[in-house]
C-alpha cells in the first residue's frame, strides 16, 4: 500500500501541476511539488524499516496486467536496493525542489518547471521500483523525456534547445543497445521478470552460455553508458548545463545519470557469468574517470567543472560495479548524490549571487559575501577530494580497494583511480580558490549577496549528509553492505582485501588528494595564478575536441546523407516516380476525354457501330468454324 502511494504522490503532483500549475502559480506550485516528493520520501523511509530490522528480503506489488503475450505485468519490486535508490531519489529530490522555489523565483514558467520536476521524480521511481525489465525500460525512457524537457526548459535560447536535443539523441543510441539486450534476455528466458531470471541463473549458471551472457552484458553496458555519460557517449552531459541549475543537480547527482550504475548493479548476476564484460565495464569506467578529470581542469564555467566531475565520478562507480564490487559502486552512488547535489546547488547560489555570471574568471573573493554558501561548499569540496572522515573518502576508497583486490591487469585500473583522485582534488580546489579566494574580479555593477533561506537550508542539510553520510558503510561497521545483502544474494561479490592492505591503500589515496589540494593552493592562492588560456588549456576547455570530431565524422556525413535522401532520392526518385505515374494517368485521361461528349446522338452512333462490329465478328468467326 505504502509503496504504491509513494509512487502515486509525485505522479499526482505532476498531473495536478500539468492541468492547474499556471493557475496555482508562484510559490504554490513549488510548495505542492515539494510536498508530494517530501511525503514520498517519508513513506519510503517508513517502508525501509522492514529491511533495517531484518524481517523482510523483498516483495512484489502487482498493479495491473500489462502485456499478457509477453507475460509482463505492471509490477513493483520493493527490496533493499530499490528502497535505497528510492530514498536517495526522493530525499535529494525534495531538497532540490525546495531550493528551486527560491532559484526559479520570478520565472514566467514557474509552474511548468515544477511540473517537469515531478515528472522526473515519478519517472525515476518507476525505473528503480520496476520488478521487471519492461517496467524498468518504461521508467528509463520517461527519464530521457523528462531530461529533454528540463535541459531545454529555457528553449528560447538556441543553445538550450540544442542541448536538449543532443541529450535526447545520444541517449537513444544507448537505448538501442539496451533494447537488443532485452530481446536476447527474453529469447533466452521467455520472461523479463527479475526474480525468475535471477533464480534460474542462480540454480543453473549454465542455463545460458558465456557468449550469450557476454553479448547481453555488453549491450546492457551500451545502454548504461548512454544514460550515465560514459565514453564514448559522454558528450551530452556537459551541454546539459544549459538547463536551470537545480536541473543539473537533479540529473547529475541523484537521478538520471545514476540509472546506468543501478542497472548494472541490478543485473550483476549476468556480469558474474561474463568475465570479459566485467573487465570492459571497469576499464570504461576507469578511462572515463581519468578522461573527464583532465578536462575538468581546464574549464572556466563553474557548472561545466562540476559536469565533467560528475562524468569522472560516475566512472569510479562503473569501476566498482565492473569488478563486482556492487556494494562499493552503489555506496559511492549514494555519497556522490549528497556532495555533488550540494556542489551544484552551491554553484547555483554563487551564480544567483553574481547576477547570473558563471565564468570563474569574473568571480573571486566571495567568501565573506556568501558565507553560508561558502561554508557548505567547503564540506562538499573536502568530501569529493577524498579527505577523511567525510563521505567521499569512505566510498571512493572502498572502490579502489576492491579494484586493487582483483589483482592482475586490474592493478592498472587502480593506478588510474589513484591518479584521478589527485586530479579530482586539484580541479575542485582550483574551482574553490578561483571562486572564493583572491581579489574580486566582478563586472562593474555586480553586488554579490547571500541566497534566501529556501536556497541555503537545502545546502546545510546536504552539507551534513556529505560530512557523515560515509559512516553508513565503514570497515568498522559495514551497515550498508548488510542492508543490501538480500538484493545481491545471487551474486558472488568482490570485497576489499583483508589485513592492513586497505589502510595502506587508503593512505596512498589520501596522499594523492592532499597533494592535489596543496598544488592548487600554491598555484591559485600563493602565486595568485588566474585562469589559464591558450595551448593545452584551450584543448582541455574544448574537451579534446570530441564534439568537433563527432561533428565531422558522424553529424556532418549524416546530415549530408539526409539531405541527399531528402532532396534527391525522395524528391526526384520517390516523388518523381509518383508524380510520373500521375502525369501518365492524367495524359491518358486527356486523350480519352473527347470520347465523353455528353451528346445522346454520339453515344447512339457509338452503340450502333459497336453492335454492327459485333455482328460482323460473329459472322466471320462462324464462317471460319
Amino acid at each position: 500500500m505504502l509503496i504504491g502511494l509513494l509512487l502515486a504522490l509525485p505522479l499526482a503532483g505532476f498531473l495536478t501541476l500539468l492541468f492547474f500549475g499556471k493557475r496555482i502559480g508562484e510559490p504554490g506550485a513549488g510548495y505542492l511539488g515539494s510536498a508530494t516528493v517530501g511525503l514520498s520520501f517519508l513513506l519510503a523511509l517508513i517502508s525501509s524499516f522492514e529491511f533495517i530490522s531484518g524481517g523482510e528480503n523483498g516483495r512484489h506489488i502487482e498493479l495491473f496486467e500489462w502485456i499478457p503475450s509477453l507475460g509482463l505485468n505492471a509490477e513493483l519490486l520493493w527490496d533493499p536496493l530499490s528502497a535505497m535508490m528510492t530514498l536517495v531519489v526522493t530525499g535529494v529530490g525534495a531538497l532540490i525542489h525546495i531550493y528551486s522555489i527560491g532559484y526559479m523565483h520570478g520565472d514566467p514558467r514557474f509552474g511548468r518547471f515544477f511540473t517537469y520536476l515531478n515528472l522526473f521524480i515519478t519517472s525515476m521511481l518507476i525505473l528503480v521500483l520496476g520488478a521487471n525489465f519492461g517496467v524498468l525500460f518504461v521508467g528509463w525512457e520517461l527519464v530521457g523525456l523528462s531530461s529533454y524537457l528540463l535541459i531545454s526548459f529555457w528553449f528560447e535560447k538556441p543553445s538550450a534547445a540544442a542541448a536538449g536535443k543532443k541529450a535526447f539523441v545520444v541517449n537513444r543510441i544507448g537505448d538501442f543497445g539496451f533494447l537488443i539486450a532485452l530481446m536476447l534476455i527474453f529469447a533466452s528466458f521467455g520472461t523479463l521478470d527479475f526474480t525468475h531470471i535471477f533464480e534460474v541463473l542462480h540454480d543453473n549458471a549454465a542455463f545460458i552460455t558465456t557468449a550469450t551472457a557476454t553479448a547481453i552484458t555488453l549491450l546492457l553496458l551500451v545502454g548504461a553508458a548512454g544514460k550515465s555519460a560514459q565514453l564514448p557517449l559522454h558528450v551530452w552531459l556537459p551541454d546539459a548545463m544549459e538547463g536551470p541549475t537545480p536541473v543539473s543537480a537533479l540529473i547529475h547527482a541523484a537521478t538520471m545519470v545514476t540509472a546506468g550504475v543501478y542497472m548494472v548493479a541490478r543485473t550483476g548476476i549476468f556480469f558474474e557469468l561474463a568475465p570479459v564484460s566485467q573487465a570492459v565495464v571497469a576499464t570504461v569506467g576507469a578511462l572515463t574517470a581519468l578522461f573527464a578529470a583532465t578536462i575538468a581542469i581546464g574549464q572556466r564555467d563553474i557548472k561545466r567543472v562540476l559536469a565533467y566531475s560528475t562524468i569522472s565520478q560516475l566512472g569510479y562507480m562503473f569501476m566498482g560495479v565492473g569488478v563486482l564490487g556492487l556494494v562499493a559502486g552503489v555506496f559511492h552512488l549514494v555519497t556522490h548524490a549528497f556532495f555533488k547535489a550540494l556542489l551544484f546547488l552551491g554553484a547555483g547560489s554563487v551564480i544567483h549571487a553574481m547576477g547570473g555570471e558563471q565564468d570563474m574568471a569574473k568571480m573571486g573573493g566571495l567568501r565573506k559575501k556568501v558565507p553560508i554558501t561558502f561554508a557548505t561548499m567547503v564540506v562538499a569540496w573536502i568530501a569529493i577530494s577524498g579527505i577523511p572522515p567525510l563521505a567521499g573518502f569512505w566510498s571512493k576508497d572502498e572502490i579502489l580497494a576492491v579494484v586493487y583486490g582483483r589483482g592482475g591487469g586490474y592493478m592498472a585500473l587502480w593506478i588510474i583511480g589513484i591518479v584521478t583522485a589527485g586530479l579530482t582534488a586539484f580541479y575542485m580546489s582550483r574551482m574553490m580558490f578561483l571562486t572564493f579566494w583572491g581579489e574580486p574580479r566582478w563586472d562593474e555593477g555586480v553586488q554579490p549577496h547571500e541566497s534566501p533561506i529556501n536556497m541555503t537550508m537545502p545546502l546545510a542539510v546536504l552539507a551534513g549528509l556529505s560530512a557523515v553520510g560515509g559512516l553508513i558503510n565503514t570497515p568498522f561497521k559495514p551497515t550498508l553492505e548488510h542492508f543490501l545483502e538480500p538484493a545481491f544474494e545471487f551474486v558472488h561479490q568482490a570485497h576489499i582485501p583483508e589485513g592492513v592492505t586497505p589502510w595502506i591503500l587508503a593512505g596512498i589515496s589520501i596522499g594523492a588528494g592532499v597533494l592535489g589540494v596543496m598544488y592548487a593552493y600554491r598555484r591559485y592562492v600563493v602565486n595568485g595564478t588566474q585562469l589559464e588560456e591558450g595551448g593545452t588549456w584551450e584543448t582541455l576547455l574544448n574537451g579534446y575536441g570530441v564534439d568537433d570530431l563527432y561533428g565531422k565524422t558522424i553529424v556532418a556525413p549524416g546530415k549530408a546523407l539526409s539531405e541527399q535522401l531528402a532532396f534527391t532520392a525522395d524528391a526526384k526518385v520517390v516523388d518523381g516516380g509518383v508524380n510520373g505515374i500521375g502525369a501518365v494517368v492524367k495524359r491518358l485521361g486527356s486523350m480519352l476525354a473527347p470520347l465523353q461528349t455528353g451528346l445522346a446522338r454520339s453515344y447512339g452512333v457509338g452503340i450502333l457501330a459497336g453492335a454492327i462490329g459485333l455482328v460482323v465478328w460473329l459472322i466471320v468467326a462462324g464462317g471460319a468454324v
Side-chain angles (χ1 to χ4, degrees):
M1 177 64 181
L2 291 182
I3 311 305
L5 186 57
L6 73 85
L7 175 59
L9 279 169
L11 176 59
F14 160 67
L15 293 174
T16 302
L17 291 171
L18 178 64
F19 292 107
F20 307 107
K22 189 173 183 179
R23 182 174 299 177
I24 295 173
E26 182 185 351
Y31 294 150
L32 176 62
S34 303
T36 55
V37 179
L39 288 173
S40 185
F41 170 74
L42 291 177
L43 293 177
L45 187 63
I46 294 170
S47 301
S48 298
F49 287 149
E50 61 191 67
F51 303 126
I52 297 174
S53 63
E56 286 279 351
N57 288 340
R59 51 196 170 92
H60 289 69
I61 301 95
E62 186 171 336
L63 301 179
F64 54 85
E65 190 176 58
W66 184 23
I67 310 177
S69 59
L70 297 180
L72 274 180
N73 291 326
E75 195 171 10
L76 306 181
L77 173 62
W78 184 248
D79 71 347
L81 180 59
S82 59
M84 185 211 70
M85 291 296 297
T86 300
L87 288 170
V88 171
V89 170
T90 56
V92 177
L95 293 173
I96 293 172
H97 270 69
I98 295 170
Y99 175 96
S100 300
I101 296 174
Y103 190 87
M104 297 301 291
H105 172 64
D107 193 284
R109 295 190 293 273
F110 186 89
R112 181 186 295 186
F113 182 77
F114 283 91
T115 303
Y116 293 164
L117 282 189
N118 271 45
L119 174 61
F120 204 122
I121 296 295
T122 304
S123 304
M124 195 67 193
L125 289 178
I126 293 173
L127 192 158
V128 301
L129 289 172
N132 54 63
F133 283 105
V135 177
L136 184 153
F137 190 73
V138 170
W140 191 273
E141 291 303 298
L142 285 174
V143 166
L145 170 64
S146 305
S147 67
Y148 166 75
L149 295 172
L150 286 167
I151 292 169
S152 57
F153 182 75
W154 287 325
F155 54 82
E156 63 274 9
K157 293 169 52 182
S159 57
K165 289 187 289 185
K166 185 176 183 180
F168 193 81
V169 170
V170 173
N171 274 274
R172 298 293 71 73
I173 297 171
D175 293 352
F176 182 71
F178 193 10
L179 269 175
I180 298 175
L182 298 192
M183 294 176 189
L184 285 177
I185 292 171
F186 185 78
S188 300
F189 296 91
T191 181
L192 294 174
D193 181 73
F194 291 148
T195 303
H196 177 78
I197 293 171
F198 298 161
E199 287 178 348
V200 168
L201 291 178
H202 178 69
D203 295 338
N204 180 18
F207 186 84
I208 58 174
T209 65
T210 300
T212 301
T214 301
I216 290 172
T217 48
L218 290 179
L219 287 166
L220 290 175
L221 173 61
V222 174
K227 200 66 72 182
S228 295
Q230 298 295 284
L231 288 173
L233 301 179
H234 67 287
V235 291
W236 68 268
L237 194 143
D239 288 358
M241 297 298 103
E242 292 292 338
T245 299
V247 173
S248 303
L250 190 64
I251 292 175
H252 302 144
T255 55
M256 179 173 173
V257 294
T258 62
V261 179
Y262 163 77
M263 186 262 284
V264 173
R266 174 65 79 186
T267 57
I269 193 167
F270 281 106
F271 287 88
E272 184 179 354
L273 301 176
V276 171
S277 296
Q278 295 175 36
V280 172
V281 172
T283 302
V284 168
L287 294 178
T288 302
L290 179 62
F291 178 80
T294 58
I295 296 176
I297 292 172
Q299 299 304 302
R300 298 171 59 96
D301 186 318
I302 188 172
K303 287 175 65 176
R304 289 183 76 87
V305 174
L306 298 178
Y308 281 107
S309 172
T310 299
I311 297 172
S312 181
Q313 294 300 307
L314 287 165
Y316 270 114
M317 298 176 209
F318 273 84
M319 286 174 64
V321 295
V323 298
L324 294 185
L326 304 184
V327 171
V330 170
F331 181 26
H332 198 55
L333 183 157
V334 174
T335 60
H336 177 263
F338 299 152
F339 58 71
K340 186 52 63 65
L342 173 54
L343 285 167
F344 269 116
L345 297 184
S349 184
V350 169
I351 294 167
H352 179 270
M354 297 295 295
E357 183 59 66
Q358 297 182 196
D359 189 348
M360 293 186 294
K362 299 180 180 180
M363 295 182 185
L366 290 174
R367 283 179 296 170
K368 296 180 181 179
K369 295 293 183 180
V370 288
I372 299 175
T373 300
F374 168 69
T376 54
M377 287 188 73
V378 165
V379 176
W381 164 38
I382 298 173
I384 194 174
S385 297
I387 308 299
L390 276 72
F393 162 74
W394 300 104
S395 57
K396 174 179 64 66
D397 275 50
E398 184 171 339
I399 289 174
L400 292 174
V402 169
V403 172
Y404 181 91
R406 288 292 296 266
Y410 289 99
M411 292 296 294
L413 303 187
W414 175 78
I415 294 173
I416 292 175
I418 292 295
V419 173
T420 303
L423 293 174
T424 301
F426 172 76
Y427 70 68
M428 289 306 306
S429 301
R430 172 181 179 268
M431 185 193 80
M432 293 294 292
F433 294 145
L434 289 172
T435 302
F436 295 104
W437 271 263
E439 295 298 321
R441 302 181 297 276
W442 319 324
D443 287 337
E444 186 177 351
V446 174
Q447 298 292 330
H449 56 281
E450 187 59 272
S451 300
I453 190 171
N454 53 9
M455 291 175 65
T456 55
M457 183 274 288
L459 297 181
V461 174
L462 288 168
L465 292 172
S466 299
V468 304
L471 300 180
I472 63 174
N473 203 59
T474 68
F476 315 107
K477 193 173 183 181
T479 304
L480 183 63
E481 183 172 345
H482 294 319
F483 178 80
L484 291 173
E485 278 178 357
F488 298 138
E489 62 178 328
F490 297 135
V491 185
H492 295 92
Q493 292 191 70
H495 298 281
I496 62 175
E498 297 181 353
V500 298
T501 302
W503 301 106
I504 296 174
L505 299 177
I508 295 172
S509 176
I510 295 169
V514 171
L515 286 174
V517 174
M518 290 176 61
Y519 180 66
Y521 179 78
R522 180 175 180 178
R523 185 181 182 93
Y524 298 103
V525 178
V526 176
N527 296 338
T529 304
Q530 301 303 315
L531 281 168
E532 304 85 351
E533 296 181 357
T536 302
W537 295 97
E538 192 68 26
T539 301
L540 297 178
L541 182 64
N542 293 330
Y544 294 113
V546 174
D547 274 306
D548 293 336
L549 177 64
Y550 285 177
K552 293 176 181 177
T553 59
I554 299 175
V555 177
K559 183 178 180 182
L561 177 61
S562 299
E563 290 175 348
Q564 287 296 317
L565 293 175
F567 302 121
T568 302
D570 187 50
K572 296 182 179 179
V573 178
V574 178
D575 286 353
V578 172
N579 293 337
I581 294 172
V584 170
V585 172
K586 182 179 180 181
R587 179 66 175 169
L588 183 61
S590 299
M591 292 171 62
L592 296 176
L595 299 177
Q596 303 294 324
T597 64
L599 299 175
R601 61 177 179 271
S602 298
Y603 297 153
V605 171
I607 293 172
L608 178 61
I612 294 172
L614 180 60
V615 170
V616 171
W617 179 80
L618 290 174
I619 293 172
V620 173
V625 174

